[in-house]
Amino acid sequence: MAQAEKKADEKIAALQYSKSKIQLAKADYEKKLRGQQKFNSIFLKEYPERVILLSDTLEKPTLDNLWNYLGHFYEKAPPALKDQFSFEDLAGIYSENGLTRLFAVCTRYAEIDGLKVLPKGIYLCAGCTEENREQTLRELLHTARTKYGAEPAFTVQIIVISGILHWNYEVQVYIGNENAGHEAESQERI
């Protein structure tokens, strides 16, 4: 009887251990699910003026071009002006009139071809993955038009590194200057 009781206690301990692992996995899953719901929500954010340098050849991120993307942008600067350039460790995709190019955000720069100024103001934003990036972009553009009366001329998709060999995006659609932001101040999430 003592042996049978010992085996029953061992089985109970094993089941309790299994139950605790299941509870931990469930809590982790629920946390990720809550984060995903937050990740997919649309929000307003005010950005200062930003100067970006567009690539003349790279259209979208790949493992190869993200590995040393800043080298690509330093190479784009003429040799005599290279020391006048520095970049944030931040890349993205800029789209305007059917043209899509990777970009780097400049912290110092000289006037050369390929520079674009992203205006200061309020941007409609949403986080997304590669899989739902196009759908998120369409939703943001639709919201910008219907809710804010904006006709965005360009879109920005900031690359957010989310792990080794993996990235997500923060899609940004310009909806106006600071005056449009009064509504943004009172309404952080949409």
Side-chain angles (χ1 to χ4, degrees):
M1 291 297 241
Q3 189 69 8
E5 188 177 21
K6 182 180 176 189
K7 284 189 178 192
D9 286 340
E10 289 171 357
K11 286 182 181 181
I12 289 171
L15 286 172
Q16 287 175 332
Y17 177 76
S18 293
K19 183 178 178 182
S20 69
K21 295 295 258 179
I22 290 168
Q23 288 171 330
L24 284 173
K26 181 181 173 187
D28 185 55
Y29 174 77
E30 288 171 349
K31 180 181 172 187
K32 287 180 181 175
L33 185 60
R34 283 190 303 273
Q36 185 68 25
Q37 289 167 346
K38 183 180 175 187
F39 182 68
N40 288 331
S41 65
I42 296 174
F43 58 96
L44 293 170
K45 189 169 181 182
E46 185 170 356
Y47 281 98
E49 180 178 279
R50 298 170 282 174
V51 175
I52 61 174
L53 180 59
L54 299 177
S55 171
D56 47 3
T57 58
L58 303 176
E59 295 179 12
K60 63 182 185 174
T62 66
L63 290 176
D64 289 337
N65 65 30
L66 282 182
W67 186 253
N68 185 23
Y69 74 95
L70 288 178
H72 170 78
F73 289 99
Y74 279 112
E75 288 298 316
K76 191 165 169 20
L81 300 176
K82 276 189 202 263
D83 63 337
Q84 294 182 36
F85 278 86
S86 62
F87 301 97
E88 283 187 44
D89 190 11
L90 185 67
I93 303 169
Y94 177 88
S95 298
E96 181 179 21
N97 297 328
L99 176 72
T100 299
R101 292 286 183 250
L102 278 185
F103 69 83
V105 178
C106 301
T107 55
R108 286 186 324 131
Y109 59 92
E111 291 297 324
I112 63 170
D113 288 341
L115 287 177
K116 283 272 186 189
V117 176
L118 302 180
K120 169 184 177 179
I122 305 300
Y123 287 76
L124 195 58
C125 306
C128 64
T129 63
E130 179 66 44
E131 293 77 25
N132 69 351
R133 183 169 56 95
E134 291 298 322
Q135 176 187 347
T136 301
L137 185 55
R138 283 191 302 274
E139 289 172 6
L140 282 180
L141 289 168
H142 176 74
T143 302
R145 289 180 184 114
T146 58
K147 186 167 182 165
Y148 297 97
E151 284 298 329
F154 66 92
T155 63
V156 175
Q157 300 158 57
I158 301 294
I159 298 165
V160 179
I161 303 299
S162 58
I164 298 173
L165 307 177
H166 191 265
W167 59 88
N168 292 319
Y169 298 89
E170 180 183 288
V171 179
Q172 303 173 357
V173 174
Y174 180 69
I175 60 168
N177 61 23
E178 295 173 58
N179 297 332
H182 294 301
E183 186 175 338
E185 291 170 10
S186 63
Q187 182 179 6
E188 192 171 291
R189 295 249 173 235
I190 298 175

